[in-house]
């Protein structure tokens, strides 16, 4: 797989709104010969799969995902989603957040 760097260009990802939440209910159109391109960006991602599934290629490992799975992807980590060829319908909630948001708002909760 070829790596491409993609900037998360959503207007919500800025200093005023450092978190972007998306709900997706879609038919994943990627076939085994045309899967999502391996990419990375600075935003962290947390995905909760409501239904459907497939595999997430993260870094150098492949992780199976199905309904009620969570996937956490660190910013800068190469990744791509590979749909399940038997059922390409995927419903998930995704939360994207910056590293700065993680440091300022999440990590202090551990103390």
């Amino acid at each position: 797989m070829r790596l491409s760097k993609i900037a998360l260009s959503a207007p919500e990802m800025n200093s005023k709104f450092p978190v972007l939440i998306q709900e997706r209910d879609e038919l994943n159109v990627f076939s085994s010969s045309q899967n999502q391109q391996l990419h990375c960006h600075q935003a962290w991602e947390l995905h909760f799969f409501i239904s459907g599934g497939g595999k997430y290629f993260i870094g150098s490992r492949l992780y199976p995902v199905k309904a009620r799975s969570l996937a956490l992807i660190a910013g800068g980590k190469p990744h791509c989603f590979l749909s399940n060829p038997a059922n390409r319908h995927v419903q998930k909630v995704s939360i994207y957040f910056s590293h700065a948001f993680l440091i300022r708002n999440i990590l202090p909760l551990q103390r």
Side-chain angles (χ1 to χ4, degrees), residues 21-35:
I21 301 173
Q22 290 181 334
E23 181 180 355
R24 291 187 174 177
D25 188 348
E26 62 192 8
L27 181 63
N28 196 324
V29 296
F30 301 118
S31 67
S32 58
S33 62
Q34 183 190 4
N35 276 300

Side-chain angles (χ1 to χ4, degrees), residues 12 18 36 39 48-49 56 62-63 73-74 86 91 109 111:
E12 294 87 349
Q36 182 185 16
H39 64 280
F48 175 69
F49 287 81
Y56 244 119
L62 198 58
Y63 298 93
I73 304 167
Q91 185 179 16
L109 297 175
R111 295 182 186 144

Side-chain angles (χ1 to χ4, degrees), residues 7-10 12-22 41-48 70-77 79 93-110:
L8 191 60
S9 59
E12 294 87 349
M13 287 294 295
N14 60 43
S15 60
K16 284 187 176 181
F17 301 101
V19 175
L20 170 63
I21 301 173
Q22 290 181 334
H41 39 76
Q42 292 308 305
W44 285 59
E45 302 176 30
L46 179 63
H47 303 284
F48 175 69
L70 277 175
L72 176 64
I73 304 167
K77 184 73 89 169
H79 61 281
V93 174
S94 301
I95 302 172
Y96 302 88
F97 51 95
S98 67
H99 184 74
F101 178 83
L102 178 70
I103 298 298
R104 281 193 312 265
N105 299 289
I106 306 299
L107 294 180
L109 297 175
Q110 295 180 356

Side-chain angles (χ1 to χ4, degrees), residues 55-96:
K55 296 178 182 173
Y56 244 119
F57 185 78
I58 304 171
S60 60
R61 296 189 58 191
L62 198 58
Y63 298 93
V65 292
K66 59 184 180 180
R68 298 187 307 266
S69 290
L70 277 175
L72 176 64
I73 304 167
K77 184 73 89 169
H79 61 281
C80 68
F81 179 71
L82 309 170
S83 62
N84 181 347
N87 180 8
R88 292 206 173 102
H89 183 256
V90 174
Q91 185 179 16
K92 67 178 180 171
V93 174
S94 301
I95 302 172
Y96 302 88

